[in-house]
Amino acid sequence: MTVNILAAEALLAAPEAFKVIDARRRNEFESVHIPDAISMEWEDWCDPAPVAPDTVLNERGYWGVLKSAPEDWYAERLGACGLSSADPIV
C-alpha cells in the first residue's frame, strides 16, 4: 500500500492500526525500540553469502539478497510474526 501524507497522519493518530517492524539485530532491538514493535532481523530473510566464511561479504550486515524460497515460506514466517497481508507495516 502506498501511504500519502494524509494516510500517514491518519495512521499516526491510531497507532494500533499499523505494525512497526524493527529490522536491527536482536541485541540492538532489546536495548531500545518503539513500544510494540516486532523484531525481525533482515538477515534472517536472506540467502547465505556465496563466498568463503573469512571474507567481508559473509560477515553479518554485508549480505542482503532476499532468500530464494517459495511464497508460502514467506507467508508462514510473516504469520508467525503476527503479520497478515491486511496489516499496514512501517
Side-chain angles (χ1 to χ4, degrees), residues 13-87:
E16 68 282 351
F18 63 92
K19 309 277 180 148
V20 175
I21 303 299
D22 190 324
R24 295 175 297 161
R25 292 193 181 120
R26 172 68 66 180
N27 62 336
E28 294 174 36
F29 174 83
E30 289 175 354
S31 69
V32 63
H33 62 271
I34 295 172
D36 299 321
I38 298 169
S39 176
M40 188 182 299
E41 293 183 68
W42 67 269
E43 292 157 320
D44 291 341
W45 298 80
C46 297
D47 276 333
V51 292
D54 60 341
T55 65
V56 172
L57 278 180
N58 206 30
E59 293 177 16
R60 287 184 60 78
Y62 283 91
W63 183 252
V65 175
L66 193 60
K67 187 170 187 64
S68 301
E71 189 175 311
D72 60 341
W73 181 86
Y74 289 101
E76 288 175 22
R77 292 208 51 201
L78 291 168
C81 293
L83 301 171
S84 77
S85 60
D87 293 321

Side-chain angles (χ1 to χ4, degrees), residues 1-14 17-18 88:
M1 162 171 75
T2 301
V3 177
N4 61 29
I5 296 295
L6 295 175
E9 288 175 350
L11 285 172
L12 292 173
F18 63 92

